[in-house]
Amino acid sequence: MGFFDQFHTSSTSAIKPQTSTVRKTTSATTTGASSSTRLPPPHLRPSHSTATRNARPSTTTTGGAGARRNAANGTGGDGGAGSRKRRLKGRPVQQALSSGSDDEDVDDGEKWLTTTKRGNKKARTTTTSTTRDVNGGRGGDVDLKRCVRSRSAFLSQEEEGEDGGGAFEMVHAADIAGLSLEGRGKEKFTKAFEVDDEEDLTVEVQYPSLGGRERYQLVLPLEADDMNPLQDILEVVELVAKNYLTDAEARPFLDENEGVHRKLKRAMAWRSCRDFRATIDKYNNALTVLRREGAIVRNLDELHALPLPLVERILTQAYARTVSLKVETLKKYENGTDNVYGELLPRFISKIFQETHLKSEHVFVDLGSGVANVVLQAALEVGCESWGCEMMDNACDLAELQEKEFHARCRLWGLEAGSTHLIRGDFLTSTAVGKALQRADVVLVNNQAFTPSLNNSLVNMFLDLKEGCRIVSLKSFVPSDHKITSRNLNSPVNLLEVQNKEYYSNCVSWTNAPGTYCIAKKDSSKLKAFAESMGL
C-alpha cells in the first residue's frame, strides 16, 4: 500500500485476512436510517485497526473471515444458505474482462444504469451525497486557467495516432501484489476469496480514460504495510463516482443499499468471489457507457481544481507501485550531513500551495526533492511547471521510477498534470536549477536537517529570485531578531519578508508532533526604504 494511505481517513473499509470460523444461524439487522440491508454476523463484519504510524508505506487494513453459511438453514444475506455454500465452493462465474469493447456487455451496462437511476423512492433517499466542488475545495481561490482533463486520454489512436487512447505502459496492481510473484507471492499475500482456480482471482477495473483498465489479483496482504488490492479498488470506485459524475450519474455507484460500492463491500464481507466479480463487471460496463456518452469529459471540463482525496489516491498508487518496493534504500544516509531523508506529507503540502497562491501558470521548485513526492503533487494538484533537484542517488533512482508511473497514472485517470523536471545533482552548482530559480514563483526547501553552511549558501542563491517569489522552509533563513542596519546593508536576508507559521501533527514523516515553518517573500521595498532614509 502507498505511503500516504496511513495519514488520511478514508470512507471505505479495507479488509484483512482472518481465519475461518463457523457462523451462527442468528442474523443481525440495522435499525439506523443509513442501511436497511441485512448485515453479516459480527465475526464477518469489517473490523478497524490502526496501522503502525512509522511504517512506510502503510495503511489500515480491516476485514472479515472466510466463513461459510450453514446449509441447514436459510438465513442471511441474498439467497439461501445452500446457494451461498455452492457459490463459495464452486468456480466463480467467468465475466468478460474486456467489456469496454463488447457491445453486448455495454448494452447490459446501459440497462443497469437506466434501471438504477430510476430506482425506487427508498433508494433515492439513501444515496450518498456526491455534489462536486469544481474548485477542488479551494473556495474562492480558484484557478480559472486550470484545465484538468487530458485530451489525449479520451482520443482513440485513430484520432491522435500513437499518442491517442488505448494501451500504455504502467505497473498494474497484479504486478506487485499476487500469489505467484517472485519474492512477493504467497509469503506476502493470501487469497481474498476461496476459489479452486487462482485465475478466478484476477479482475480488470475500468478507469475514466479511454482504454484505461488496471489488472488486479484479489489477494490480501499478510502485513499491514503492504498493498491491499481490494482497498485500492474500493477507493477507485468511490473517487470516480464522486469526482467524475453528477449526483444522478453517481447514484448506481454510491447508493447506500444497492450501489456498486455497497455491493463490493458486501461481497468482501461474505467472501463471495462471484458477487465481487459480477459487481466489477457492472461497474466497468456502466462507466464505459458514461464515457461513450460524453458524461466524463463533460464533467471534467467543469473542474478547475482537483480535490485532495483524489490527488492523494493517485500519488499513493504511483508510490506503492515504485518507491514502496525499494523504500529500504532510503535509509542509507550519513547522520550529520545534508543527505538526510524526510518527507512533507500531502495535506501539509496542499496547505502550502494554497498559502503561497500557487497557480497552474506558475513555476514550482523543490530543492532537495527526494523521491519527487512534492514535485509530482504540485504538477497534479496545481497543474504548474514543477522542478525538483536531489543529489542522493538512491532517492534519484526511485524518483525517476515514480515520475514515469505518475504520468501513466494521470493518463489512466484522464487527468492533465503540469510538466515535471527532475535534476540529479547538487542544486548549488546545477545550471538547470539556477535557470529554473530565476523563473520560480514558489521555492520549497526542506532544510530541517541542512547544515548552517548549506543554509547560508541557499540565502545567496535567493538573490537571483524574482521579486515576489515565495520561499517555504522548515527553518527560517532570517534570524528572529534581524533588523536592517547600516552595517548589514548588503546582507541578502534583507530582501526577505518572513511569516512564521505552525503545522499540526502528522504533517511530516519523521515525527507525529506539530512544528513550525516559514514562508518568506522576496521583497526589496524595506531595503530600498531604509537606503533612501540613509540618503543612499
Side-chain angles (χ1 to χ4, degrees), residues 467-525:
E467 193 81 357
C469 178
R470 289 175 169 84
I471 306 159
V472 184
S473 60
L474 295 189
K475 289 184 177 180
S476 179
F477 292 100
V478 181
S480 58
D481 58 349
H482 177 77
K483 293 181 180 180
I484 301 176
T485 67
S486 57
R487 293 184 177 183
N488 65 17
L489 197 60
N490 294 323
S491 173
V493 300
N494 291 330
L495 298 174
L496 302 179
E497 183 68 24
V498 180
Q499 286 183 308
N500 294 310
K501 295 180 172 290
E502 295 182 354
Y503 62 80
Y504 301 105
S505 58
N506 292 334
C507 282
V508 297
S509 66
W510 56 89
T511 180
N512 288 327
T516 60
Y517 65 106
C518 306
I519 298 181
K521 180 180 179 181
K522 185 173 181 182
D523 183 356
S524 60
S525 60

Side-chain angles (χ1 to χ4, degrees), residues 359-380:
K359 298 291 190 293
S360 59
E361 60 189 350
H362 290 161
V363 176
F364 172 79
V365 179
D366 184 0
L367 299 178
S369 52
V371 297
N373 288 339
V374 180
V375 174
L376 302 181
Q377 183 173 346
L380 178 59

